[in-house]
């Protein structure tokens, strides 16, 4: 449906509540095929958590366990040091889960490089060149790898804004309890984070429907950000529709983009920073698209390691058809609710999904999909694919595969390597059914399984079929040959 756009559209009423979305959405991501790995069986404690916990108001399975590492010393402040506070760094957890205290620095200099100063390394910057036996992907490890370039303990976020101390606590809580649902997250979107998010945006980026550029917004920036902060936290914030633009695709078609208004970019970037603190602890090691500290070259490096050093004889090169345009909002909300229980955050995301698109002066409602070009769209896509594909694929590999199976995914484009052909055929059939339940489908022209690997050419030559086939992934053509 298209209707003429007027400015009053920008102040349309709030979208339906998350409760209504949950009521109308399809069944949760469960089922026999997925081995019930996606069921959200979370025991909620009736005992309120204390304010000393990392998130402040989080739901836990066990209310008797603290969900945070203490960041302050228990030593009372000495006279004359009240304004400066205590600069001790926390120690590691002891066997009972209580934080160990480390000694004070000698003299006036605080402890440097003490444990607990920052979060532990989560993902290696580059995949290891050699994996230990038994690991499917060397890049799935959660600890630092040997012989590779080091990575900062607290990565920059997808929005390029630095991680705050409060978000380090959120990340630690998300790491400790994979079923924890966070009920209070929006307060992390403060003026400081909004400022960092604004400064991280490209100055030359195209403006949205409001026509406001980065340079124009920089004038009276603090005043504007204070007003934006007030609107976000009082519910007065309204998302503007995205401005439609098109860019050419490799096949000659046009790819639709949705260019968000500048303030929408700022708030989305800030929320991405907050949500990354949770989901970077959940995402699979073989997921590379639009994640902090990872990129296309890391994904290609991991794929080369799989093809060259693992028992791969068959390759499934697959692509989900029009994923960003067809993802169901109800399913996306269900995926978010596995971890997010803050209704203000869920409503904020719903505002962006329901804001619509403005093209040639006409406003169009968006009933499905998330605009390509919006700051938060890549993260929402990764969250949906984490539950729709990643969890399911890892469970399928453990429960149904007869041989080795290796996964590498970049956004909605992925490659799966198989030791046995029958595993690949069964995986492809089950995957098509899995995606159908989520309202998605594989691209028929970009999805195929080919014989590929060290011995593929020899086997094909014995059958009189010539050299092994090739496949395209991330702009590169991959083939097997000798030099």
């Amino acid at each position: 449906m298209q209707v003429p756009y007027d400015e009053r559209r920008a102040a349309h009423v709030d979208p339906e509540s998350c409760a209504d979305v949950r009521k109308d959405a399809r069944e949760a991501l469960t089922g026999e095929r997925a081995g019930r790995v996606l069921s959200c069986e979370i025991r909620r404690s009736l005992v309120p958590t204390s304010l000393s916990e990392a998130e402040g108001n989080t739901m836990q399975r066990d209310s008797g366990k603290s969900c945070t590492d203490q960041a302050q010393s228990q030593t009372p402040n000495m006279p004359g040091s009240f304004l400066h506070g205590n600069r001790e760094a926390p120690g590691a957890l002891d066997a009972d889960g209580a934080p160990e205290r480390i000694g004070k620095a000698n003299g006036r200099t605080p402890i440097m490089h003490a444990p607990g100063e920052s979060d532990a390394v989560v993902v290696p910057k580059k995949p290891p060149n050699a994996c230990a036996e038994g690991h499917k992907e060397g890049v799935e490890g959660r600890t630092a790898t040997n012989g590779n370039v080091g990575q900062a303990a607290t990565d920059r976020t997808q929005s390029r804004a630095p991680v705050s101390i409060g978000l380090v606590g959120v990340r630690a809580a998300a790491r400790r309890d994979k079923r924890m649902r966070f009920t209070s997250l929006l307060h992390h979107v403060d003026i400081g984070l909004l400022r960092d998010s604004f400064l991280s945006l490209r100055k030359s980026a195209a403006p949205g429907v409001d026509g406001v550029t980065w340079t124009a917004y920089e004038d009276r920036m603090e005043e504007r950000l204070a007003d934006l902060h007030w609107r976000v936290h009082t519910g007065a914030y309204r998302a503007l529709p995205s401005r439609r633009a098109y860019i050419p695709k490799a096949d000659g078609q046009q790819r639709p983009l949705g260019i968000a208004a500048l303030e929408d970019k700022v708030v989305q970037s800030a929320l991405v920073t907050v949500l990354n603190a949770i989901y970077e602890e959940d995402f699979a090691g073989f997921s590379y698209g639009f994640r902090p500290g990872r990129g296309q070259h890391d994904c290609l490096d991991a794929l080369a390691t799989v093809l060259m050093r693992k028992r791969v004889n068959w390759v499934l090169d697959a692509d989900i058809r029009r994923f960003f345009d067809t993802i169901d909002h109800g399913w996306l909300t269900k995926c978010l609710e596995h971890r997010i229980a803050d209704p203000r955050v869920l409503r904020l995301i719903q505002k962006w999904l329901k804001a619509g698109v403005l093209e040639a002066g006409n406003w169009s409602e968006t009933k499905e999909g998330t605009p390509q070009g919006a700051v938060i769209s890549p993260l929402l896509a990764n969250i949906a694919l984490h539950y729709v594909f990643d969890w399911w694929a890892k469970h399928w590999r453990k429960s149904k595969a007869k041989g080795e199976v290796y996964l590498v995914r970049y956004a909605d484009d992925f490659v799966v390597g198989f030791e046995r052909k029958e595993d690949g055929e069964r995986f492809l059939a089950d995957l098509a059914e899995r995606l159908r339940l989520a309202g998605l489908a594989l691209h028929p022209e970009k999805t195929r399984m080919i014989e590929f690997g060290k011995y593929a050419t020899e086997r094909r030559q014995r059958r009189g079929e010539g050299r092994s086939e090739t496949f395209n992934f991330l702009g590169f053509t991959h083939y097997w040959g000798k030099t």
Side-chain angles (χ1 to χ4, degrees), residues 2-204:
Q2 292 189 351
V3 297
Y5 175 76
D6 59 76
E7 294 298 331
R8 289 172 294 178
R9 276 288 184 187
H12 58 79
V13 296
D14 286 344
E16 58 189 85
S17 66
C18 297
D20 293 335
V21 174
R22 291 195 298 270
K23 186 182 300 180
D24 296 336
R26 301 173 192 171
E27 187 176 355
L29 303 180
T30 58
E32 296 178 0
R33 194 174 299 278
R36 301 189 66 83
V37 295
L38 297 183
S39 63
C40 189
E41 300 173 353
I42 304 174
R43 286 176 277 176
R44 303 184 179 182
S45 171
L46 297 179
V47 181
T49 55
S50 65
L51 292 177
S52 62
E53 295 180 349
E55 176 45 39
N57 293 313
T58 53
M59 296 180 182
Q60 296 177 275
R61 291 180 296 166
D62 184 2
S63 61
K65 289 181 65 177
S66 172
C67 68
T68 181
D69 297 306
Q70 292 184 355
Q72 297 87 14
S73 169
Q74 299 300 321
T75 306
N77 288 328
M78 300 301 292
S81 63
F82 176 76
L83 294 178
H84 299 282
N86 195 295
R87 300 197 180 194
E88 291 178 294
L93 295 178
D94 60 17
D96 299 327
E100 261 186 345
R101 175 177 170 159
I102 61 176
K104 294 183 178 180
N106 295 326
R108 296 179 178 270
T109 306
I111 298 175
M112 300 297 292
H113 311 296
E117 288 284 356
S118 58
D119 201 4
V121 174
V122 177
V123 290
K125 184 154 189 165
K126 291 285 186 182
N129 295 325
C131 301
E133 286 296 325
H135 286 281
K136 300 299 182 189
E137 293 89 21
V139 292
E140 288 196 40
R142 289 288 175 178
T143 57
T145 55
N146 294 324
N148 292 292
V149 180
Q151 182 179 357
T154 26
D155 295 318
R156 286 191 174 208
T157 59
Q158 181 177 322
S159 64
R160 305 293 295 172
V163 179
S164 70
I165 298 300
L167 293 182
V168 171
V170 173
R171 191 169 191 168
R175 183 189 308 118
R176 271 194 303 272
D177 191 346
K178 296 299 183 180
R179 290 190 174 185
M180 178 179 291
R181 301 181 67 213
F182 293 83
T183 63
S184 179
L185 290 171
L186 193 62
H187 67 276
H188 291 290
V189 181
D190 54 20
I191 294 180
L193 182 56
L194 291 174
R195 183 188 303 108
D196 292 336
S197 300
F198 168 74
L199 295 175
S200 69
L201 298 177
R202 283 196 305 117
K203 298 181 180 181
S204 59

Side-chain angles (χ1 to χ4, degrees), residues 311-327:
R311 289 182 287 181
V312 173
N313 299 315
W314 295 85
V315 167
L316 172 63
D317 176 26
D319 180 81
I320 300 177
R321 182 173 57 187
R322 299 181 62 223
F323 172 75
F324 283 89
D325 300 327
T326 59
I327 180 65

Side-chain angles (χ1 to χ4, degrees), residues 384-443:
L385 287 172
H386 172 70
Y387 292 103
V388 174
F389 176 77
D390 294 355
W391 271 23
W392 173 86
K394 289 195 293 185
H395 175 76
W396 191 98
R397 181 172 63 185
K398 293 179 181 179
S399 61
K400 294 187 177 183
K402 304 299 182 182
E404 296 294 321
V405 178
Y406 302 94
L407 302 151
V408 178
R409 179 175 69 81
Y410 192 94
D412 58 338
D413 195 5
F414 53 90
V415 172
V416 187
F418 299 93
E419 181 183 8
R420 301 189 178 192
K421 181 180 180 180
E422 55 269 26
D423 282 343
E425 294 174 342
R426 187 164 56 251
F427 180 91
L428 182 58
D430 292 348
L431 176 60
E433 176 63 18
R434 172 68 175 177
L435 294 178
R436 186 188 66 81
L437 295 176
L440 301 170
L442 292 171
H443 197 295

